[in-house]
Amino acid sequence: MRASRNGFRIVEMADLSAAEVDRWLELRASHPELDSPYFHPGFSAAVAGTRSGVRVIVQDGDAGDATAFLPVQFDGRTCRPAGSPAADFQGPICAPDTDFELDRALWECGIASYRFDHLRDGVAGVEPWITARQPSPFMDISGGMEGYLARASRTGKDNIAQARRRARKAER
């Protein structure tokens, strides 16, 4: 672990305490934009179990409690979001009103650069480095398969029907 002088520290994923993991889950639940498996500590733990260099930048508040988490994967002094390039949603896990200044966190933790390609909106300090914007692909599965099919376009329904036919054929 490397502590910074202004509330940021870098922790191995496995070294997060149970209380910190609970706090991560609490912060994730407080912010609708974080409703993705990519922002779950289990995803970062799975990545850490298969790749080296996965750590978490933790922002601590004045009371010493964690106010934000940013899972990263190191390559020297450069890092990317944990799970990159497969992580389609990236960014700090924090409450909506938390000011997580990414550039400050990286500087204070001695990180030379952060390469991202699917950073969520609203992260302070990154505007100068954004070269393009486009929505990340996602599928709304609320309501299960029936809910999805009710919202799906005709083409999407045809693709699902075709996939089901192929699955039945493979089973036979």
Side-chain angles (χ1 to χ4, degrees):
M1 173 183 4
R2 177 181 173 186
S4 77
R5 62 185 182 279
N6 291 321
F8 291 97
R9 57 191 165 97
I10 300 173
V11 180
E12 296 283 340
M13 188 67 207
D15 291 340
L16 287 174
S17 69
E20 288 172 320
V21 172
D22 288 346
R23 179 68 173 146
W24 181 327
L25 292 168
E26 177 186 324
L27 292 169
R28 180 176 174 259
S30 76
H31 199 315
E33 286 188 17
L34 302 176
D35 187 18
S36 165
Y38 295 114
F39 295 116
H40 193 282
F43 175 77
S44 297
V47 173
T50 59
R51 296 182 181 177
S52 63
V54 176
R55 294 184 182 70
V56 181
I57 297 172
V58 180
Q59 178 179 0
D60 289 319
D62 294 336
D65 58 328
T67 59
F69 300 88
L70 180 66
V72 295
Q73 185 173 321
F74 279 87
D75 181 16
R77 287 186 56 222
T78 296
C79 63
R80 294 177 170 269
S84 183
D88 289 334
F89 294 95
Q90 305 162 354
I93 293 88
C94 55
D97 60 345
T98 299
D99 186 20
F100 185 91
E101 295 179 60
L102 181 59
D103 56 346
R104 186 179 137 219
L106 300 175
W107 182 80
E108 289 186 7
C109 290
I111 300 168
S113 65
Y114 179 71
R115 297 180 184 215
F116 58 90
D117 57 5
H118 289 87
L119 196 64
R120 68 176 176 82
D121 286 336
V123 178
V126 297
E127 285 300 321
W129 298 282
I130 294 176
T131 58
R133 289 182 188 273
Q134 60 188 58
S136 291
F138 71 96
M139 191 183 322
D140 180 359
I141 57 170
S142 57
M145 184 59 105
E146 296 310 314
Y148 172 74
L149 289 174
R151 292 184 303 275
S153 67
R154 182 70 191 154
T155 304
K157 289 178 184 177
D158 290 344
N159 289 339
I160 290 172
Q162 185 179 30
R164 285 180 173 160
R165 281 192 301 278
R166 288 179 179 165
R168 286 191 300 272
K169 184 176 180 180
E171 287 173 3
R172 287 193 301 270

